[in-house]
Amino acid sequence: MAKYEKLIPRFLEYVTTETRSDENATTSPSTQTQVVFLHKLMDDLKEIGLSDVKYNESNGYVTALLPSNIDKKVPTMGFLSHVDTADFNAKGVKPQIVENYDGESIIKLDEAGKFVLDPQEFPNMKNYKGQTLITTDGSTLLGSDDKSGVAEIMTAMDFLVQHPEIKHGDIKIGFGPDEEIGTGADHFDAKDFAADFAYTMDGGPIGQLEYETFNAAAMKVDIQGKNVHPSEAKDIMVNALQVAVDFQNALPSDEVPEKTDGRQGFYHLLSLEGTVDEAHMAYIIRDFERDGLEERKAFAAKVADQMNAKYGEGRVVATIKDQYYNMAEVLKDHMDVVELAKDAMEAVGIKPLIEPVRGGTDGSKISFMGIPTPNIFAGAENMHGRYEFVSVETMEKAVDTMLKMNDLNVERN
Ligand SMILES: [Zn+2]
């Protein structure tokens, strides 16, 4: 008998609903499938018995309230997750269930065994001996990122409604779109959400607790060449592609994702396209320190200036836009929010794994909007592709953690 009866049925239902986001869309949410799914979640929230269930037209968030059942005023806690899935086939997800995994066998995803989960290749599989794993059939991603978070939040709220003897304050729920394309939380309405602090249930393996993220900027480099016939090109032609190559080579060659880890930042060339006449490059720039990000941005701008000095003004235009900042800047003044999660994990027998995220979370943006929002494990492993899997036991522990955080919030305030 499962600990939370509906946790896995809910999860399996959610992952088989396609909700891939689309970076090239001009609408928000980026895809209609997300809107449909968000409305389905509203039905589930109402069925569970939550209040103020609404779809916010302005930002595509579904929000809801579990009203306090005690007299004393305790801080309002929020839980958030995103409904979209990453840039990988998400049509026709067929979850496979592997019970009592032995921690060493190869798991065939498709019937023919073209795609397999092999512990030699994925040593993280060895952590799941004796557990029930949910995998893909090799043709899609699973969408545990972040349908696990959605199912866990739903389950925790259901549990609190079913157990009115458990004391709780106001708890706010938010399910949002387009995390994977980095735009969903831009439109988050912190004032309307009105939580004192919140958690995104969007981390990976058990114990993950994240409150430090990169500072992030995006850079576009547009290069205008001068194209003349190669026979007459001497001292006249400016080959935009060559300028692009020179620009890339002027950046520190060791400060790239494939050569950095831990707390090191980088410049990452995402795309380069062009002709002799013009070229376009897209970069992301990352650094854990805010000063470090500013220094990197200034360095890239200086490279562009130097090239303009050489080839003529306006040949190289670098446009740099900040994307999000390290939420530790906010959380350092709200470490009780981190402590609450850490203590809750320990109380339910989990060893917290606190590490800086070499990326961002929706919580990075939301924290800067005034709601400190660390990220907690939801369970997904090997996210964003066909090798994604999640363990049932980890998902149950995520629900345990949320319920314990509620207990501690009531006890401590
Ligand atoms: Zn996610």
Side-chain angles (χ1 to χ4, degrees):
M1 176 70 189
K3 185 165 187 189
Y4 303 108
E5 208 185 333
K6 289 192 195 148
L7 174 62
I8 298 312
R10 268 196 189 107
F11 174 72
L12 295 175
E13 183 190 2
Y14 294 163
V15 295
T16 49
T17 310
E18 188 267 307
T19 55
R20 182 177 177 174
S21 48
D22 176 6
E23 188 165 32
N24 298 314
T26 50
T27 54
S28 174
S30 67
T31 52
Q32 193 56 28
T33 53
Q34 292 182 76
V35 179
V36 171
F37 183 61
L38 284 159
H39 282 82
K40 188 258 176 304
L41 295 180
M42 286 174 73
D43 295 341
D44 289 3
L45 289 164
K46 285 176 192 161
E47 195 188 305
I48 286 171
L50 265 58
S51 309
D52 298 351
V53 179
K54 64 180 180 194
Y55 178 74
N56 297 254
E57 290 288 345
S58 61
N59 59 15
Y61 270 82
V62 163
T63 54
L65 168 71
L66 178 66
S68 170
N69 64 358
I70 47 174
D71 289 333
K72 75 169 175 173
K73 175 78 187 130
V74 302
T76 300
M77 183 158 62
F79 290 107
L80 297 153
S81 59
H82 66 92
V83 302
D84 64 318
T85 60
D87 193 20
F88 195 86
N89 183 25
K91 282 213 174 80
V93 173
K94 289 184 206 69
Q96 316 284 311
I97 297 178
V98 180
E99 281 174 11
N100 195 14
Y101 178 59
D102 63 11
E104 49 194 59
S105 300
I106 291 173
I107 299 174
K108 261 199 220 177
L109 296 176
D110 57 315
E111 208 139 308
K114 184 174 175 208
F115 300 110
V116 298
L117 276 172
D118 181 344
Q120 296 291 344
E121 194 181 351
F122 300 109
N124 50 358
M125 293 172 72
K126 294 174 188 158
N127 301 330
Y128 294 95
K129 190 169 155 46
Q131 300 192 21
T132 298
L133 303 184
I134 304 177
T135 75
T136 73
D137 73 349
S139 65
T140 64
L141 49 60
L142 180 60
S144 168
D145 174 16
D146 189 23
K147 306 276 175 60
S148 288
V150 177
E152 288 154 8
I153 292 171
M154 220 42 111
T155 302
M157 293 308 105
D158 198 4
F159 191 88
L160 289 176
V161 171
Q162 297 299 323
H163 293 82
E165 74 280 7
I166 301 175
K167 296 188 178 82
H168 60 80
D170 283 345
I171 300 179
K172 286 299 290 268
I173 299 308
F175 298 127
D178 293 333
E179 189 268 354
E180 300 292 358
I181 58 172
T183 58
D186 291 342
H187 314 287
F188 184 75
D189 187 342
K191 194 160 165 260
D192 180 70
F193 195 64
D196 293 296
F197 60 97
Y199 302 92
T200 48
M201 300 300 295
D202 190 23
I206 193 162
Q208 262 190 4
L209 169 55
E210 302 168 326
Y211 67 94
E212 266 203 273
T213 55
F214 270 141
N215 295 286
M219 174 168 70
K220 279 175 48 195
V221 182
D222 297 300
I223 298 160
Q224 180 62 60
K226 191 194 284 179
N227 194 4
V228 294
H229 194 278
S231 64
E232 298 160 354
K234 189 162 191 303
D235 299 329
I236 300 171
M237 178 189 280
V238 178
N239 185 338
L241 285 168
Q242 183 61 51
V243 177
V245 169
D246 291 349
F247 185 95
Q248 165 67 7
N249 287 338
L251 299 177
S253 62
D254 287 335
E255 298 178 13
V256 291
E258 61 269 38
K259 293 185 185 174
T260 51
D261 61 9
R263 293 188 161 273
Q264 298 167 314
F266 56 72
Y267 302 87
H268 179 30
L269 175 60
L270 296 175
S271 71
L272 160 57
E273 55 188 34
T275 59
V276 175
D277 186 51
E278 56 181 82
H280 306 279
M281 297 193 283
Y283 285 87
I284 56 173
I285 305 174
R286 300 290 187 260
D287 203 296
F288 279 102
E289 303 302 324
R290 185 69 170 268
D291 292 348
L293 181 74
E294 296 306 324
E295 280 163 30
R296 281 177 197 284
K297 285 160 57 183
F299 185 80
K302 198 179 85 191
V303 169
D305 287 347
Q306 285 168 347
M307 299 186 87
N308 283 328
K310 183 171 167 191
Y311 294 114
E313 210 43 51
R315 289 257 166 242
V316 179
V317 178
T319 313
I320 304 175
K321 207 176 114 211
D322 288 2
Q323 294 174 298
Y324 57 82
Y325 301 114
N326 185 348
M327 69 164 125
E329 257 180 67
V330 177
L331 266 300
K332 71 179 187 330
D333 299 324
H334 301 277
M335 284 308 285
D336 52 322
V337 175
V338 177
E339 291 298 321
L340 188 77
K342 186 169 165 273
D343 294 348
M345 286 185 197
E346 281 167 350
V348 299
I350 299 169
K351 190 171 176 289
L353 302 171
I354 302 178
E355 277 176 10
V357 199
R358 291 179 65 78
T361 69
D362 278 347
S364 338
K365 287 173 185 165
I366 293 167
S367 294
F368 280 90
M369 293 175 188
I371 303 176
T373 304
N375 188 36
I376 288 179
F377 70 94
E381 289 268 21
N382 305 342
M383 296 177 194
H384 298 188
R386 65 178 97 247
Y387 301 105
E388 191 181 2
F389 70 90
V390 67
S391 111
V392 169
E393 285 79 358
T394 298
M395 290 180 62
E396 289 172 348
K397 281 292 188 188
V399 178
D400 292 347
T401 301
M402 292 167 68
L403 295 172
K404 182 54 76 177
M405 283 195 289
N406 169 64
D407 291 345
L408 296 179
N409 187 40
V410 171
E411 272 171 36
R412 289 176 183 183
N413 289 284

